[in-house]
Amino acid sequence: MVSQLTMNERRWAMGILIALSLIGLTMLGAGRGDAFGVHGAIVAAAAIAMIFVVISGYFAPEPGEERLTRYYDDPSKAGIVISMVWAMLGLFVGDWVAWLLAYPNLTFDAPWSSLGRIRPVHTTSIIFGFGGNALIATSFHVLQRTTRARLPDQLSPWFVLLGYNLFCVIAVTGYLMGVTQSKEYAEAEWYADIWLVVVWVTYFAIYLRTLARRKEPHIYVANWYYMAFILAVAMLHIVNNLAVPISLGHAKSYSLFSGVQDAMTQWWYGHNAVAFFLTAGFLGMLYYYLPKRAGRPIFSYRLSIISFWGITFIYMWAGSHHLHYTALPQWVQTLGMTFSVMLLVPSWASAGNALMTLNGAWHKVRDDATLRFMMVAAIFYGLSTFEGSFMAIRPVNALSHYTDWTIGHVHAGAMGWVALITFGSIYAVVPWLWKREAMYSARLIELHFWLALSGTLIYVFAMWNSGITQGLMWRTYNESGTLAYSFVDSLVAMYPYYIARAIGGLLFFLGAIVGFYNIWMTIRTAPAEARASEPDAPALSGARVQPGE
Amino acid sequence: MFGYHYRLERNAIGLVLAIVVAASIGGFVEIAPLFTIDETVEDVPDMRVYTPLELAGRNIYIREGCYACHSQMIRTLRDEVERYGPYSLAVESKYDHPMLWGSKRTGPDLARVGGKYSDEWHVAHLINPRDVVPPSNMPAYAWLQRTPLEVKDLGLHLKALRQVGVPYTDDMIANAAADARNQAMPDDGGAGGLTQRYGEATQIRAFDGNPANVTELDALVAYLQILGRLTDAAYKPAAEGG
């Protein structure tokens, strides 16, 4: 890792790490007796550990100019392994939380292990840990291949990857200590949020600098999505996290917004975290790895233009459908509902474009579990975007809101779409990155596929049943015109579904363990002979190459 | 149109600007007017702020993630009004930074739970929910009773809240820590100026049943008992008509 940095980059790395360790020590001093101090210690420890890593390779010979004839893939490799580590943590904690809802005593009499604190550990580990690292890792890979240009330097990709993971660690350890803003999917406190902005600006700069040096005149569709992901997440993150800390030595802050304005800002953020983090970024993955793996060009270029701008423009209006029948003014609710329904058009255009791309390659879908992961992901994308538009309609939302139906919908998206497209892309990219003939075991990919699919189906069906049952029980009247069921009656009816959901989650977790083992064994096997047929290197001259390659 | 796009996708900065513009419009149209249109939040003169003890309780509610399973937003639907009480008004969360409307009811809505149960019920329920509601799947929060409440920073909390728009006075900020203690330890030499600062209706008692010390349980129960009772605007006929 360090040996690939130039001498100048090694100096910069030392400078950044020394500054970061000083920041950590200052936080430690200012935040004595507060979680802020503990986080200072974590920052300082991480920075000092990295200083030792840099020193150990500091005097290694500098990489020669021949490095510029190859893509820079080491940050992508590290990102994929880190992503799978977060998947292990996030899925384990998620399934633990699921069992807790059926058996609430399956935990310790300690604050950190309480359901309310470990639940955000699950959501953050999956969305930001697993999903975010996979996005960063694949975006670097895709960006270089589709521009035929190498990443601009060796240091900034590592800064983005490791800095981003520092954010994730601060967030997750914070929840265990009770540090949270309570904003869903934006729980991390003010100092972690500021750090993420620094990391994110660097990430965007890498994108622009690589695009500026591209040897392809056109910017490929996948990069539009990765760029929309980076830009929109920056906007959402900065606005929703505006807050005033109680002091510069405390973790606690108070949001700039309150009540109805805060609710609208939060769900503008929350819904578009789904749109631009969990959809746009992963569509970037889909638009590169699915056609590559299928060996077919994207079905329609025009369809991808329509769906891209539709998603980028319309999604931002849809957040208020989380607030139907609340104290939010009705005109905002109506706008949110209208745009949510319109959103079905670009969403299905994307899903259809992906599935039509497989025309002529269906025999590969049958035989190749990696491609099947991506195909099923596109189907779940279509299903959950239809479900989302449907649930955004006010009278439907009257029934579905506040129930497990929402949880089922989210997991149809997160497990069926986000995780499956990620696993498919990882299985495609790992042999390419590590220069292996194929994954260690095709049968283990097959096993993972069926575990993941059955786990997702059990989970989603359990939550559809429980959610609709709940919603109906809450609004059922008896003959004398009073409510037929107490809240506790509806809770008792949930237990069988909660157990089924936990079993579904367990299957999904087992599948991911199989996947991690398979990836690990692939990395450990001997490299294959370089394939001469498919050159995988940046274009050094201005040679024109086929788009989409 | 596609020809125009064919040129746009050759220009990185153009593409970036187009994405930023396309993605900004929706949020701008929906959020900005909420700050400028006066009818968005009802004008209610008797709306009071949280006492320091209630605020500390609210922060425990946030810290423990209670909002993930309990909403605080009764919708304008007949069954919700009959189950939980009058539908929630925007003004009722006017001083909530952030709001805790929630998105999921694994447990019931809590917007109007204040005064619905006794302190003793809340204490027993928080220590082990299954002692009072046998089929409950709520986590037990027994440690709250064992943990003394941290009051020394409450002045800083009030000050930060004043910066974001909650009308705490200098007097309230200066006395925050003492007010928190006095609200939960009434035997400890009276309530000081607590009722002058926060109103005669302020509930002053040993919420966890033990007047000898102030625990996190005191604060959380004090918060739960004030939910829905910061103003009675939702119960007034004018509001019912809406």
Side-chain angles (χ1 to χ4, degrees):
Chain A
M1 172 177 165
V2 182
S3 62
Q4 293 151 2
L5 306 187
T6 63
M7 216 49 187
N8 194 30
E9 286 172 335
R10 290 175 205 176
R11 273 185 225 113
W12 269 98
M14 283 302 278
I16 292 168
L17 289 168
I18 289 168
L20 194 59
S21 54
L22 291 178
I23 291 172
L25 292 172
T26 313
M27 286 171 68
L28 179 60
R32 267 168 311 185
D34 192 86
F36 190 72
V38 179
H39 275 154
I42 291 176
V43 170
I48 290 167
M50 285 308 296
I51 286 176
F52 279 103
V53 172
V54 174
I55 288 176
S56 71
Y58 197 84
F59 297 105
E62 273 197 275
E65 286 298 308
E66 80 278 0
R67 73 176 192 280
L68 300 176
T69 62
R70 289 186 308 271
Y71 291 128
Y72 191 47
D73 286 332
D74 284 25
S76 295
K77 291 182 181 177
I80 282 167
V81 175
I82 296 171
S83 165
M84 288 306 293
V85 172
W86 281 108
M88 294 297 110
L89 176 71
L91 292 172
F92 168 75
V93 176
D95 204 43
W96 182 14
V97 171
W99 286 109
L100 273 178
L101 284 169
Y103 303 99
N105 291 327
L106 279 178
T107 187
F108 313 98
D109 180 24
W112 70 267
S113 67
S114 173
L115 185 143
R117 296 198 190 186
I118 60 176
R119 193 199 72 100
V121 172
H122 160 62
T123 54
T124 298
S125 301
I126 292 299
I127 299 173
F128 297 105
F130 168 58
N133 276 295
L135 285 172
I136 292 174
T138 57
S139 70
F140 288 157
H141 178 258
V142 172
L143 175 65
Q144 296 182 91
R145 267 67 183 183
T146 52
T147 57
R148 294 257 158 186
R150 194 179 200 264
L151 291 178
D153 64 294
Q154 284 83 224
L155 180 60
S156 58
W158 286 111
F159 176 78
V160 169
L161 183 72
L162 299 176
Y164 178 77
N165 280 285
L166 180 61
F167 164 81
C168 295
V169 167
I170 296 283
V172 163
T173 52
Y175 310 148
L176 297 177
M177 294 187 285
V179 177
T180 171
Q181 293 191 106
S182 83
K183 292 189 154 218
E184 286 182 70
Y185 320 118
E187 289 94 346
E189 270 291 358
W190 60 277
Y191 48 98
D193 293 334
I194 292 173
W195 173 246
L196 185 60
V197 172
V198 174
V199 170
W200 218 247
V201 169
T202 314
Y203 187 20
F204 183 54
I206 292 176
Y207 239 85
L208 282 188
R209 288 163 68 203
T210 310
L211 285 175
R213 294 161 50 256
R214 71 184 183 278
K215 300 296 189 296
E216 275 289 325
H218 287 269
I219 300 170
Y220 181 60
V221 194
N223 291 321
W224 313 347
Y225 280 106
Y226 280 122
M227 274 158 62
F229 148 65
I230 297 171
L231 288 166
V233 167
M235 282 164 44
L236 297 162
H237 173 78
I238 290 171
V239 175
N240 190 42
N241 285 304
L242 291 174
V244 175
I246 64 166
S247 84
L248 292 180
H250 286 86
K252 175 75 187 170
S253 69
Y254 286 98
S255 169
L256 204 56
F257 311 116
S258 72
V260 60
Q261 293 92 355
D262 184 45
M264 185 60 227
T265 310
Q266 158 58 26
W267 287 112
W268 166 77
Y269 168 90
H271 192 72
N272 289 296
V274 174
F276 289 91
F277 207 100
L278 297 177
T279 303
F282 292 89
L283 282 171
M285 262 187 213
L286 177 95
Y287 269 105
Y288 183 77
Y289 294 105
L290 183 132
K292 281 293 266 187
R293 186 76 185 188
R296 309 268 313 161
I298 278 289
F299 168 69
S300 167
Y301 163 74
R302 294 184 173 193
L303 213 49
S304 38
I305 293 176
I306 291 170
S307 48
F308 175 75
W309 291 106
I311 284 172
T312 306
F313 175 70
I314 297 175
Y315 246 115
M316 285 287 185
W317 297 75
S320 54
H321 69 224
H322 288 253
L323 300 166
H324 281 328
Y325 303 99
T326 66
L328 181 76
Q330 186 150 357
W331 65 267
V332 195
Q333 300 180 22
T334 308
L335 271 180
M337 174 177 79
T338 312
F339 278 84
S340 302
V341 173
M342 284 159 58
L343 200 47
L344 190 59
V345 175
S347 300
W348 273 28
S350 288
N353 210 359
L355 292 174
M356 295 295 274
T357 300
L358 293 171
N359 264 348
W362 289 104
H363 61 287
K364 291 188 187 169
V365 177
R366 183 193 61 205
D367 298 335
D368 177 9
T370 300
L371 191 56
R372 213 179 312 126
F373 263 110
M374 301 188 208
M375 186 273 288
V376 175
I379 290 177
F380 268 103
Y381 177 62
L383 284 177
S384 44
T385 47
F386 172 78
E387 188 185 25
S389 294
F390 182 60
M391 290 167 81
I393 299 169
R394 274 167 58 93
V396 181
N397 196 266
L399 179 81
S400 74
H401 193 53
Y402 292 136
T403 74
D404 285 320
W405 190 354
T406 310
I407 313 302
H409 168 62
V410 168
H411 283 82
M415 298 161 94
W417 154 237
V418 170
L420 294 193
I421 189 67
T422 305
F423 289 136
S425 302
I426 287 179
Y427 284 137
V429 79
V430 161
W432 296 339
L433 281 177
W434 273 274
K435 310 274 186 260
R436 304 293 189 265
E437 204 63 62
M439 286 295 295
Y440 166 71
S441 164
R443 294 182 64 184
L444 287 180
I445 303 180
E446 198 70 46
L447 176 64
H448 181 191
F449 174 80
W450 289 108
L451 282 170
L453 182 60
S454 53
T456 305
L457 289 175
I458 292 171
Y459 190 113
V460 172
F461 273 94
M463 291 294 95
W464 279 340
N465 276 299
S466 67
I468 293 170
T469 307
Q470 241 172 352
L472 291 176
M473 286 179 85
W474 292 345
R475 57 160 62 172
T476 302
Y477 283 85
N478 57 28
E479 284 160 7
S480 53
T482 53
L483 292 165
Y485 301 103
S486 71
F487 190 90
V488 171
D489 291 336
S490 74
L491 173 64
V492 171
M494 293 305 106
Y495 277 99
Y497 302 119
Y498 285 173
I499 293 168
R501 179 252 299 269
I503 292 170
L506 184 63
L507 292 179
F508 198 88
F509 178 39
L510 291 175
I513 294 174
V514 171
F516 198 11
Y517 172 77
N518 202 358
I519 292 164
W520 192 246
M521 292 307 286
T522 309
I523 296 171
R524 285 191 49 189
T525 52
E529 296 297 314
R531 285 168 298 172
S533 56
E534 197 181 332
D536 187 37
L540 292 174
S541 64
R544 179 84 194 272
V545 195
Q546 288 303 307
E549 250 304 309
Chain B
M1 174 191 160
F2 292 109
Y4 176 73
H5 199 276
Y6 197 73
R7 287 193 296 280
L8 177 66
E9 68 191 46
R10 298 169 68 128
N11 179 347
I13 299 299
L15 200 55
V16 165
L17 292 176
I19 290 171
V20 170
V21 170
S24 301
I25 298 170
F28 189 76
V29 171
E30 291 187 352
I31 298 176
L34 298 179
F35 290 92
T36 55
I37 299 175
D38 288 339
E39 296 94 82
T40 303
V41 180
E42 303 83 0
D43 196 14
V44 173
D46 75 340
M47 177 69 195
R48 82 155 171 87
V49 297
Y50 295 110
T51 65
L53 186 70
E54 292 153 11
L55 180 71
R58 188 171 196 272
N59 286 337
I60 292 165
Y61 183 100
I62 290 173
R63 184 186 78 190
E64 301 307 334
C66 306
Y67 58 86
C69 294
H70 294 283
S71 57
Q72 290 185 22
M73 173 49 61
I74 301 166
R75 295 181 294 171
T76 53
L77 297 169
R78 177 185 163 199
D79 60 289
E80 297 220 348
V81 171
E82 287 180 11
R83 188 180 297 278
Y84 299 115
Y87 58 80
S88 300
L89 302 181
V91 66
E92 291 179 280
S93 49
K94 181 177 158 186
Y95 297 138
D96 285 5
H97 293 263
M99 56 85 211
L100 295 172
W101 293 7
S103 60
K104 177 70 176 52
R105 285 179 186 153
T106 304
D109 187 277
L110 299 180
R112 308 214 179 280
V113 81
K116 202 168 170 184
Y117 302 93
S118 65
D119 292 347
E120 291 76 16
W121 186 91
H122 278 300
V123 167
H125 185 245
L126 286 163
I127 290 171
N128 182 17
R130 279 152 293 285
D131 285 348
V132 282
V133 185
S136 171
N137 65 350
M138 185 171 123
Y141 293 96
W143 73 84
L144 294 178
Q145 194 184 30
R146 307 193 292 262
T147 314
L149 182 71
E150 183 76 65
V151 296
K152 70 177 194 315
D153 297 330
L154 279 169
L156 290 174
H157 287 256
L158 265 55
K159 223 162 144 178
L161 278 168
R162 183 161 73 178
Q163 281 178 23
V164 294
V166 183
Y168 284 114
T169 62
D170 290 337
D171 194 28
M172 288 169 170
I173 292 170
N175 291 289
D179 280 350
R181 268 193 300 272
N182 287 335
Q183 195 178 349
M185 293 165 68
D187 299 345
D188 196 32
L194 182 64
T195 50
Q196 282 130 53
R197 281 186 281 275
Y198 294 94
E200 288 300 325
T202 308
Q203 308 180 40
I204 300 169
R205 55 185 187 261
F207 293 91
D208 70 351
N210 177 7
N213 56 7
V214 187
T215 62
E216 295 196 335
L217 192 58
D218 273 310
L220 185 55
V221 174
Y223 172 63
L224 291 172
Q225 294 290 30
I226 200 68
L227 279 176
R229 301 174 79 182
L230 293 170
T231 167
D232 56 3
Y235 292 89
K236 288 188 178 143
E240 296 279 351

